[in-house]
Amino acid sequence: MNKLQNEYELAIARNLEDVQDKIFRSARKTGRSPEDIKLVVVTKTHPLDIVRCVIAAGARYLGENYVDEAEEKIHALRSEVQCSWHMIGHVQSRKARLICEHYQWTHSLDSLKLAIRLDRFAGEIGRKLPVLLEWNVSGEESKQGWSAWDEQRWGDLLAEVSLIVDLPNLLVRGLMTMPPFFTDAEQSRPYFQRLRRLQEFFAQHLPQASWQELSMGMSADFEIAVQEGATLVRVGTAIMGTRPNP
Ligand SMILES: *Cc1c(COP(=O)(O)O)cnc(C)c1O
């Protein structure tokens, strides 16, 4: 190992511990069990050697956004260590097969069309794919996900969501969101609260699925997300440092 990599490894290990500690304290502050929260370390655009550093520091849940970029890393690391790979970025439906082959979880299911394709390929390779449905709870236009900012209209969502729940090879596990970017993390709180209300709404109306997971919170606001019920936080920069350009 060269000197630079050694420095990275120390810095990343320290960052990881710091984030885990903040998760622990945010959970305790609101009476939650810290074990109920999984930290997904977002490794997108970081090269393999840097990803190895965070694995060496103990991370086992890794998040990636781009199917092609991640493929190489997943392939290379497979023989070294068992990791759980989480797709957190928008997936084009023509990439659905790769998702089924390489990822343990998909957080960013955002259309019926993609759901149908994931279900089909999962069936072909004989697996069940855990998925989270992605919601745009802010109304911000650039966000992926089904629109759910208007709580008066949540009833309209049930028909499509129940079709997804009924797909035999998908295991619907909960919801994911990405609030608009704020410099003050407190401003994300109402969106995390809305996602939790949406979770309760689905749990009530479509009880045949399990809605327990809430994927919310990134580097800037994961502590707030944990306070509001996140079970999966997706943290990149605060652990890995600034991202290189892809
Ligand atoms: C990049 C990304 C993250 C991590 O963002 P950071 O601010 O670096 O922690 C989390 N979730 C999604 C969907 C992302 O695309």
Side-chain angles (χ1 to χ4, degrees):
M1 186 184 297
N2 64 38
K3 185 162 178 289
L4 186 63
Q5 191 168 344
N6 195 14
E7 274 171 27
Y8 268 124
E9 187 158 335
L10 287 172
I12 286 174
R14 220 179 296 124
N15 293 343
L16 180 66
E17 206 182 302
D18 182 54
V19 168
Q20 281 166 336
D21 190 53
K22 285 176 171 154
I23 291 171
F24 189 92
R25 280 186 279 127
S26 300
R28 277 292 153 81
K29 189 173 159 183
T30 45
R32 302 187 60 201
S33 289
E35 312 84 74
D36 292 345
I37 300 136
K38 290 190 196 71
L39 170 57
V40 178
V41 179
V42 178
T43 50
K44 66 181 174 206
T45 79
H46 289 285
L48 194 53
D49 282 344
I50 302 298
V51 180
R52 284 198 178 96
C53 291
V54 78
I55 292 173
R60 288 298 177 271
Y61 299 99
L62 302 179
E64 287 280 340
N65 285 58
Y66 312 107
V67 179
D68 294 327
E69 180 211 316
E71 172 120 29
E72 197 189 326
K73 296 180 203 172
I74 295 174
H75 189 75
L77 292 166
R78 179 168 295 162
S79 57
E80 297 171 24
V81 61
Q82 184 131 25
C83 290
S84 174
W85 292 92
H86 295 235
M87 172 46 67
I88 62 171
H90 175 64
V91 180
Q92 294 164 297
S93 21
R94 63 192 168 83
K95 300 282 166 79
R97 176 187 289 279
L98 291 168
I99 296 296
C100 293
E101 287 171 352
H102 297 310
Y103 290 82
Q104 277 65 48
W105 283 71
T106 301
H107 293 221
S108 43
L109 176 55
D110 59 5
S111 73
L112 178 60
K113 182 182 170 200
L114 177 61
I116 290 170
R117 284 182 69 92
L118 289 172
D119 175 67
R120 188 178 112 205
F121 292 127
E124 279 178 22
I125 60 173
R127 71 170 291 201
K128 308 273 186 217
L129 185 70
V131 294
L132 307 176
L133 309 188
E134 181 171 359
W135 297 91
N136 174 348
V137 289
S138 66
E140 190 189 31
E141 252 173 50
S142 62
K143 286 286 173 283
Q144 306 284 350
W146 284 277
S147 175
W149 58 270
D150 184 354
E151 302 195 22
Q152 301 302 315
R153 304 188 56 182
W154 282 357
D156 301 349
L157 306 170
L158 290 170
E160 189 157 322
V161 172
S162 73
L163 292 177
I164 295 173
V165 163
D166 289 342
L167 292 170
N169 304 305
L170 296 190
L171 304 170
V172 173
R173 290 288 189 244
L175 311 179
M176 182 269 221
T177 200
M178 224 169 129
F181 177 78
F182 298 111
T183 42
D184 172 15
E186 263 305 321
Q187 288 186 272
S188 296
R189 193 185 293 277
Y191 301 107
F192 296 148
Q193 290 172 337
R194 182 173 287 157
L195 193 72
R196 185 151 85 172
R197 286 196 295 278
L198 186 61
Q199 174 193 41
E200 283 159 12
F201 177 82
F202 285 133
Q204 189 186 348
H205 290 91
L206 298 169
Q208 64 272 40
S210 142
W211 298 98
Q212 73 207 37
E213 306 290 343
L214 283 179
S215 170
M216 55 190 198
M218 316 192 342
S219 289
D221 54 16
F222 68 89
E223 293 171 273
I224 310 276
V226 168
Q227 290 166 20
E228 296 302 336
T231 60
L232 291 149
V233 292
R234 312 175 308 267
V235 180
T237 315
I239 296 169
M240 305 297 291
T242 313
R243 273 185 285 279
N245 289 324

